[in-house]
Amino acid sequence: MNRNRPVAATPKLRVSASPCGETLSIGLFLLPGFGLPAFASLNDLLFLLNRAGGRKPVISCNAVSIDGLPVTSSSGRTIPADRSIRERHRYDLIIVLSAVSNYTNKAAAGWLRDQSRHGAMLGAVTSGLWLLAFAGLVGGARCTLHWADVEAFRETYPSVNLSADIYTIEDNLITCAGLGAVADMMFAYFQGRIDQPVLDTVMESLVIDRMRPGAELQRQPGGVRFWNQNKLVVTAMNRIEAEITRRNIVETLSRELHVSSRWLQKLFRRATGSTIKSFQTSFRVDRARQLLAATSVPVAQIAIMTGFSDGAHLSRVFLQHEGKTPSEYRAAAARRTEPDVPRPT
């Protein structure tokens, strides 16, 4: 099969004695509210690799939790843990699974730092990068996380080399934006570690016809999703998303696109069912919602960042769209995650 495969550096494995040969120890670190589909995808892929023939290390996979107790996923399903972070077990690769923005835990961060000092490669899926950044383990490596977290993450960790790729493998860090790219990331990671015929066999078993390169974008601009509409509408949507703080949006766009405001509004409504101003406002509210849930940035500052004139303006529009004020929304977001947040012992 002709597959497009990126070439990634392959850190040396820690080898332990095993009747079947070398052993590759992988820990799937489940944080409260983790994404169950991503965990299932990783678990099944590792199972199939272990079951396949050919030259390869034996893969030892453990579900790890902070306290060794079962962990509840974002969908409410609970998964039992094989180990806790208190156990003195060394891993070759640890993948942090989380769907919760800005999750921090000092005990978990300390454990990850200790594993890294002893040679473990670290990874993250969806929002797991938040904990790695909190632990100071990202460094200058190129990395990624789910697109909905990008703005809040950049505000919290502005020095991190964040990309919009579906997955990245650089230095001793492997990251993935979400479920759709989990298999791509793992097949790229296993290149050089497992014979290519074995990888091909597992890919065929999973009905994967090719492995995408990490540089593919995880989310296209809004205009791309309306590619079959008028080019003026596509251009207008892309500019609205790219320049969220633009004022007098209808007049500005019509002047730059050399059409009348009335004609542009008519085309936009026909394509999207919304006015240009309403589309821009919804986009601003969505961005504000992400920042409120994942950061501690003051409401007044978020208002300026998302194109509102001040905090009062944001509060008024946010209440109309969400049924609660920004402060109420932030408090509710904190309550949704707080019961599941374990306390360091």
Side-chain angles (χ1 to χ4, degrees):
M1 250 183 261
N2 182 18
R3 306 188 195 280
N4 184 6
R5 294 185 175 90
V7 177
T10 305
K12 187 176 181 181
L13 296 179
R14 182 185 301 110
V15 177
S16 58
S18 167
C20 301
E22 298 177 355
T23 299
L24 176 60
S25 183
I26 298 179
L28 303 181
F29 189 23
L30 307 181
L31 300 182
F34 70 96
L36 185 60
F39 169 74
S41 179
L42 283 164
N43 189 71
D44 284 354
L45 191 151
L46 296 175
F47 165 75
L48 290 173
L49 285 171
N50 250 346
R51 192 179 66 173
R55 182 187 66 83
K56 65 182 186 305
V58 175
I59 299 172
S60 170
C61 177
N62 294 140
V64 184
S65 70
I66 293 176
D67 50 14
L69 297 176
V71 189
T72 302
S73 68
S74 58
S75 61
R77 295 291 183 180
T78 299
I79 297 297
D82 302 311
R83 295 180 180 274
S84 77
I85 64 175
R86 302 187 186 96
E87 299 180 44
R88 293 183 175 275
H89 183 82
R90 298 300 176 196
Y91 293 94
D92 296 295
L93 171 65
I94 297 172
I95 300 178
V96 182
L97 288 96
S98 175
V100 178
S101 302
N102 206 7
Y103 177 88
T104 59
N105 183 285
K106 291 182 179 179
W111 176 71
L112 289 168
R113 285 192 293 267
D114 180 67
Q115 290 285 339
S116 179
R117 282 193 296 269
H118 285 84
M121 189 173 188
L122 300 178
V125 174
T126 312
S127 299
L129 187 65
W130 284 96
L131 182 59
L132 294 183
F134 172 74
L137 294 168
V138 178
R142 185 177 174 85
C143 55
T144 191
L145 80 169
H146 192 270
W147 60 264
D149 270 356
V150 168
E151 294 301 323
F153 188 90
R154 282 180 174 155
E155 181 65 26
T156 308
Y157 300 103
S159 63
V160 171
N161 185 11
L162 196 64
S163 77
D165 298 349
I166 58 173
Y167 71 87
T168 63
I169 301 178
E170 188 168 303
D171 297 339
N172 210 35
L173 185 67
I174 174 172
T175 59
C176 170
L179 169 64
V182 165
D184 301 287
M185 176 184 74
M186 295 308 296
F187 282 120
Y189 167 79
F190 280 119
Q191 284 186 357
R193 296 178 168 91
I194 293 179
D195 282 347
Q196 195 58 54
V198 176
L199 297 181
D200 289 342
T201 297
V202 174
M203 290 179 72
E204 290 171 352
S205 176
L206 293 171
V207 199
I208 298 174
D209 63 343
R210 72 180 184 99
M211 192 184 76
R212 294 177 293 173
E216 285 195 12
L217 295 179
Q218 54 177 287
R219 181 177 185 248
Q220 300 290 352
V224 175
R225 299 193 293 276
F226 288 83
W227 65 271
N228 59 337
Q229 299 294 339
N230 187 287
K231 289 183 179 180
L232 289 174
V233 175
V234 173
T235 302
M237 294 180 71
N238 287 339
R239 292 189 182 181
I240 290 170
E241 293 196 9
E243 302 176 47
I244 193 172
T245 58
R246 273 195 176 211
R247 303 289 182 182
N248 303 317
I249 188 65
V250 178
E251 295 78 5
T252 302
L253 287 175
S254 62
R255 183 173 61 251
E256 292 181 357
L257 298 176
H258 308 291
V259 294
S260 70
S261 299
R262 183 177 179 181
W263 178 241
L264 183 60
Q265 284 274 38
K266 183 177 181 179
L267 290 175
F268 200 92
R269 183 185 285 275
R270 182 187 301 166
T272 67
S274 169
T275 66
I276 294 175
K277 186 64 178 176
S278 295
F279 179 87
Q280 183 191 50
T281 301
S282 296
F283 186 72
R284 286 174 169 177
V285 170
D286 186 59
R287 184 69 57 80
R289 190 167 56 241
Q290 296 167 19
L291 292 169
L292 287 165
T295 74
S296 57
V297 175
V299 172
Q301 186 176 339
I302 290 177
I304 302 303
M305 292 168 61
T306 52
F308 295 96
S309 56
D310 52 32
H313 183 201
L314 169 61
S315 296
R316 184 170 63 254
V317 175
F318 199 91
L319 180 62
Q320 292 172 350
H321 279 251
E322 300 297 323
K324 52 175 69 74
T325 67
S327 298
E328 290 170 343
Y329 181 87
R330 173 172 273 168
R335 285 196 300 271
R336 282 197 299 271
T337 60
E338 189 171 272
D340 288 326
V341 176
R343 305 297 183 217
T345 56

